[in-house]
Amino acid sequence: MQTGVLKLKIRTLNRGKLERLLDMQTEFTACVRFHCERISILGTTNATEVHRDCYREARDLFRLPASTLQQARDKAIAATRSFLQRKKRDRRANPPTFREPVPLRLAVENLKVLPDEGMIRVSTPDGFLWLPILIPACFAAAARLQHAVSEIVRKGKDWFLMLAVKTEDVPSPQGERPHFGIDLGLANVAVLSGPGVVKFFDGKPLRYIQGRFFGYRQALQQKRKTGMVRRSKGKESRWITGMNHRISREIVDLVVAAGGVLHVERLKGIRERCKGTAKTNRMLHSWPFGQLLEFLKYKAARAGVEIIEVDPRKTSQTCGKCGHAERGNRLRQAVFKCKRCGHTTHADLNAAHVIAARGACSPDMGEVTAPLSGEAMVTRKGRHRGNRNLESSS
Ligand SMILES: [Zn+2]
């Protein structure tokens, strides 16, 4: 019997529920620390002995259900054992401290998942705590499976349920998820690629607007109207912010609909990678890739979509089909043609493929083979027609 872990986002909680959850986590953390200390005094990690020594005291000290106390004990035992093993190899190894709030571990009987209601039920000393949860459609079936000991973790402001599901026929629920990649650039602001979905966000409207504002401000500057220049800058940045909101919303919605994982390039170095004329440089420095990524990240987090940053090196030169990397692969700005296998496609789309494939194979994802299909449906974006009719012979 294998177990897979589904990471499910808990929806925004009202203050009462949040307080109860926080209280329980604090109790749990304290309880784990208590057991850790006792284990080091006892000098044994034998569960029966630890239980005999601590159980009654822990019951009096902590307001937690009995089985949750046991989870805290097991967690302390596991952490101590791993510390002792590390110490064998490295004498400077540090004992576990549990300074951060420890993920709240829930025994099977303390957690009930109701995918249809979009709720989970957690047993607390004061009765049940119902938490609203976001379960993507593709996970609903897996969430209904029998589950094992699971955890509730907190990341920043967000809470997630790490649901361990016992499964025979779904070896790795993570691997089942479709992988989406995004390539950012100038010709196309963003290109999204995933199984059955290809979406171009043309950079033409942006370039047009930026050109207009630039010319307008130059004229104003000559007339020394600095106030108007400033206002014009504010107007331009609001336009761009609006565009970034629209693009990120559309991308996240597409990924949510497919229940996928989103892979983006790590941004460091994008300016070094795109070198060009004074004009492209001006656009680069005024083109906030950072903002688009930021929006993508928070929108993805809210929607419970996992977003993974991928090493962007050579994505534009690597073949999405055979993996061959060579500078000559990129024929022109927009055309990619692999020198080895002859795979021909739009260069930005190829880069998005490569990012998705690279992300799918990254250690974060566990064992996953890139499930990208070469055939993709092209969805066009309204009136802006660019040089994207190249997605053809491959
Ligand atoms: Zn190739």
Side-chain angles (χ1 to χ4, degrees):
M1 181 84 79
Q2 285 179 302
T3 53
V5 177
L6 297 180
K7 184 179 178 183
L8 302 169
K9 183 161 191 298
I10 294 172
R11 287 175 185 269
T12 313
L13 299 171
N14 64 31
R15 193 184 289 169
K17 289 187 179 189
L18 186 64
E19 268 170 21
R20 282 178 74 189
L21 190 55
L22 277 169
D23 280 352
M24 198 162 162
Q25 196 189 28
T26 313
E27 285 286 292
F28 187 75
T29 306
C31 188
V32 174
R33 278 201 209 112
F34 163 81
H35 278 95
C36 255
E37 280 163 24
R38 294 302 283 263
I39 289 168
S40 72
I41 295 166
L42 277 173
T44 176
T45 56
N46 180 295
T48 321
E49 284 183 45
V50 176
H51 179 81
R52 201 181 295 141
D53 181 72
C54 304
Y55 184 69
R56 275 173 192 284
E57 214 173 319
R59 278 233 78 157
D60 293 340
L61 280 171
F62 305 102
R63 276 177 53 73
L64 290 170
S67 48
T68 311
L69 286 177
Q70 284 173 23
Q71 294 302 328
R73 179 199 69 203
D74 291 348
K75 195 154 196 156
I77 288 173
T80 311
R81 280 188 186 152
S82 122
F83 158 64
L84 292 174
Q85 287 214 326
R86 270 182 286 127
K87 207 177 168 189
K88 266 187 205 160
R89 273 178 277 129
D90 180 4
R91 295 173 68 200
R92 290 163 301 172
N94 292 316
T97 53
F98 295 109
R99 218 172 286 132
E100 296 289 312
V102 178
L104 177 59
R105 202 182 271 193
L106 299 167
V108 178
E109 62 267 34
N110 286 348
L111 174 73
K112 194 168 170 63
V113 184
L114 304 157
D116 299 317
E117 285 83 355
M119 291 294 246
I120 56 171
R121 195 188 73 187
V122 179
S123 311
T124 77
D126 324 301
F128 294 135
L129 174 60
W130 293 87
L131 303 174
I133 197 156
L134 207 135
I135 302 178
C138 62
F139 283 178
R144 259 182 222 105
L145 294 169
Q146 197 190 3
H147 60 261
V149 175
S150 302
E151 291 189 330
I152 292 181
V153 297
R154 185 180 169 197
K155 287 187 180 161
K157 277 185 187 167
D158 297 320
W159 294 80
F160 296 92
L161 171 68
M162 308 302 273
L163 182 67
V165 285
K166 291 179 187 168
T167 154
E168 279 160 336
D169 47 356
V170 193
S172 159
Q174 290 223 340
E176 299 272 302
R177 287 189 277 170
H179 295 272
F180 287 81
I182 299 174
D183 179 60
L184 303 173
L186 292 172
N188 290 293
V189 173
V191 178
L192 175 72
S193 155
V197 178
V198 168
K199 184 114 195 164
F200 283 82
F201 296 91
D202 196 351
K204 226 180 255 170
L206 173 72
R207 288 198 296 277
Y208 174 75
I209 288 283
Q210 285 186 323
R212 278 284 295 271
F213 274 111
F214 183 73
Y216 177 58
R217 279 203 293 274
Q218 269 189 331
L220 287 175
Q221 227 131 25
Q222 273 161 10
K223 293 178 195 159
R224 300 192 188 279
K225 293 188 172 167
T226 46
M228 284 175 81
V229 169
R230 207 174 52 239
R231 255 169 303 176
S232 150
K233 277 183 182 159
K235 207 168 172 186
E236 181 181 352
S237 81
R238 284 193 296 281
W239 191 92
I240 291 174
T241 304
M243 180 195 73
N244 280 339
H245 271 303
R246 279 196 307 279
I247 293 178
S248 52
R249 167 55 47 213
E250 209 169 320
I251 289 174
V252 169
D253 283 351
L254 280 167
V255 179
V256 168
V261 188
L262 190 57
H263 302 280
V264 296
E265 46 195 314
R266 212 174 293 120
L267 252 204
K268 215 175 120 198
I270 198 160
R271 292 195 177 170
E272 289 84 77
R273 283 191 300 119
C274 307
K275 277 180 194 148
T277 61
K279 194 181 163 199
T280 52
N281 278 340
R282 190 186 79 224
M283 288 194 311
L284 255 185
H285 287 275
S286 50
W287 164 228
F289 291 96
Q291 191 187 45
L292 180 56
L293 271 189
E294 204 182 291
F295 287 178
L296 277 171
K297 278 181 194 159
Y298 92 79
K299 288 194 168 94
R302 260 190 210 170
V305 167
E306 195 170 352
I307 191 161
I308 290 169
E309 290 193 323
V310 175
D311 184 358
R313 267 175 295 176
K314 290 193 181 167
T315 42
S316 59
Q317 301 162 20
T318 306
C319 174
K321 214 165 199 180
C322 71
H324 175 60
E326 186 183 329
R327 185 159 287 188
N329 277 352
R330 192 159 182 169
L331 278 186
R332 290 193 296 277
Q333 165 64 30
V335 185
F336 182 92
K337 185 166 195 242
C338 179
K339 292 256 177 183
R340 190 158 82 188
C341 72
H343 175 54
T344 309
T345 181
H346 189 289
D348 293 342
L349 177 59
N350 177 68
H353 267 291
V354 172
I355 287 166
R358 210 174 265 182
C361 300
S362 75
D364 291 1
M365 296 306 304
E367 279 175 61
V368 174
T369 49
L372 293 170
S373 63
E375 300 311 311
M377 176 189 78
V378 179
T379 43
R380 294 231 173 105
K381 216 190 161 214
R383 60 208 159 81
H384 311 298
R385 253 169 285 114
N387 40 11
R388 78 198 85 122
N389 303 339
L390 295 148
E391 166 66 2
S392 55
S393 58
S394 50

